[in-house]
Amino acid sequence: MLLYTILICFLAGMGAGLGTGFAGMSAAAVISPMLATFLDMDPYLAVGIALASDVLASAVSAYTYGKNKNLDIKNGFVMMAAVLCFTVLGSFVANNVGKTTMGSFSVFMTMLLGIKFIVKPVMTTKEARAGKSKRRQITESVICGTLIGFICGFVGAGGGMMMLMILTSVLGYELKTAVGTSVFIMTFTALTGSVSHFALGGMPDITVLILCVLFTLLWARLAALWANKATPKMLNRITGVILTVLGSVILIVNYVK
């Protein structure tokens, strides 16, 4: 039984870590459905473990991207504030709305975004982003952070994917800086989410928690190191393949039961 638990946590951590390090994807999208399905864990506690795993994985990824000058801290803080505020509002609005259908939104978005990176790579340069005025950059960060936060609060998932899509497609970030900024923001949002989950739902299985945190951290670190050394075109392809595969796997896992 212990070996089975370790195997599930390893696979969940590997998928979550690769998704985080390469694409700024939230670990909750991978870990929570796997723990709930294969370890029969309470979904609420599974999300708490996933968010806790996301904290260190996102932090070490953000550090790696920042060390390679692929992180926009100033606008990241602005967007993070908007995301946190409007996630609460989105959750409040979603209280009386059925989420069964909405919950699959992030899975399909993960797959579509992956295909998009393969078919149409993001080849924007840092210079193009720098051409915008500081005021415009901050305004765009607030507006997009508001949109991301509300959708994530309403849907309940997909924060990392929403940020990556908007940072690259709307705000004009090149892919490495988009991922670096996304994991930077996710560090704080995951910390807030995990603390609130454990405070309300109690502590989960400590063994599973530690295993998921360690495995996710390991793979996120490796993925971030690889990603920062890759060429933009290669990174687009790798990110696209990982997102497409993870989206497909999560979709299958969700329908195992």
Side-chain angles (χ1 to χ4, degrees), residues 12 20 36 59 78 86 104 122 174 178 180 188 215 228 253:
T20 299
V78 173
F86 281 86
S104 61
V122 176
E174 51 89 29
F188 297 95
F215 287 138
N228 278 279
V253 168

Side-chain angles (χ1 to χ4, degrees), residues 44-45 196-203:
Y44 190 83
L45 293 179
S196 62
H197 265 71
F198 294 151
L200 296 173
M203 287 300 293

Side-chain angles (χ1 to χ4, degrees), residues 102-171:
M102 295 298 290
S104 61
F105 170 76
S106 62
V107 179
F108 287 109
M109 185 170 67
T110 299
M111 294 173 63
L112 291 175
L113 194 57
I115 294 171
K116 185 261 183 189
F117 281 130
I118 296 173
V119 176
K120 190 178 180 182
V122 176
M123 301 303 289
T124 309
T125 61
K126 292 182 180 179
E127 289 72 21
R129 171 72 180 168
K132 295 182 180 180
S133 67
K134 294 295 182 182
R135 183 175 180 180
R136 182 179 175 183
Q137 289 183 31
I138 292 175
T139 301
E140 288 179 343
S141 296
V142 171
I143 294 173
C144 291
T146 299
L147 177 64
I148 294 168
F150 184 81
I151 291 176
C152 292
F154 187 79
V155 176
M161 289 301 91
M162 281 297 300
M163 274 188 276
L164 185 62
M165 181 176 70
I166 288 180
L167 286 171
T168 54
S169 302
V170 179
L171 299 184

Side-chain angles (χ1 to χ4, degrees), residues 148-245:
I148 294 168
F150 184 81
I151 291 176
C152 292
F154 187 79
V155 176
M161 289 301 91
M162 281 297 300
M163 274 188 276
L164 185 62
M165 181 176 70
I166 288 180
L167 286 171
T168 54
S169 302
V170 179
L171 299 184
Y173 280 83
E174 51 89 29
L175 187 55
K176 289 183 182 180
T177 305
V179 175
T181 305
S182 177
V183 290
F184 171 73
I185 297 172
M186 290 301 295
T187 301
F188 297 95
T189 56
L191 177 61
T192 303
S194 60
V195 170
S196 62
H197 265 71
F198 294 151
L200 296 173
M203 287 300 293
D205 186 305
I206 299 299
T207 302
V208 175
L209 173 63
I210 293 174
L211 286 172
C212 285
V213 169
L214 291 178
F215 287 138
T216 306
L217 177 62
L218 169 66
W219 285 101
R221 173 63 172 166
L222 292 174
L225 287 172
W226 294 336
N228 278 279
K229 292 178 181 178
T231 63
K233 190 172 183 179
M234 180 60 70
L235 182 58
N236 271 273
R237 287 177 177 173
I238 294 173
T239 302
V241 170
I242 287 176
L243 290 180
T244 304
V245 171

Side-chain angles (χ1 to χ4, degrees), residues 43-123:
Y44 190 83
L45 293 179
V47 172
I49 289 177
L51 289 170
S53 303
D54 216 356
V55 177
L56 289 179
S58 293
V60 75
S61 297
Y63 169 77
T64 305
Y65 278 91
K67 191 175 180 181
N68 287 275
K69 298 181 179 180
N70 291 315
L71 171 61
D72 186 353
I73 293 182
K74 184 177 180 180
N75 287 306
F77 269 121
V78 173
M79 185 177 290
M80 178 181 66
V83 168
L84 291 174
C85 290
F86 281 86
T87 295
V88 176
L89 179 61
S91 299
F92 176 77
V93 173
N95 249 347
N96 299 315
V97 178
K99 291 188 178 181
T100 304
T101 303
M102 295 298 290
S104 61
F105 170 76
S106 62
V107 179
F108 287 109
M109 185 170 67
T110 299
M111 294 173 63
L112 291 175
L113 194 57
I115 294 171
K116 185 261 183 189
F117 281 130
I118 296 173
V119 176
K120 190 178 180 182
V122 176
M123 301 303 289

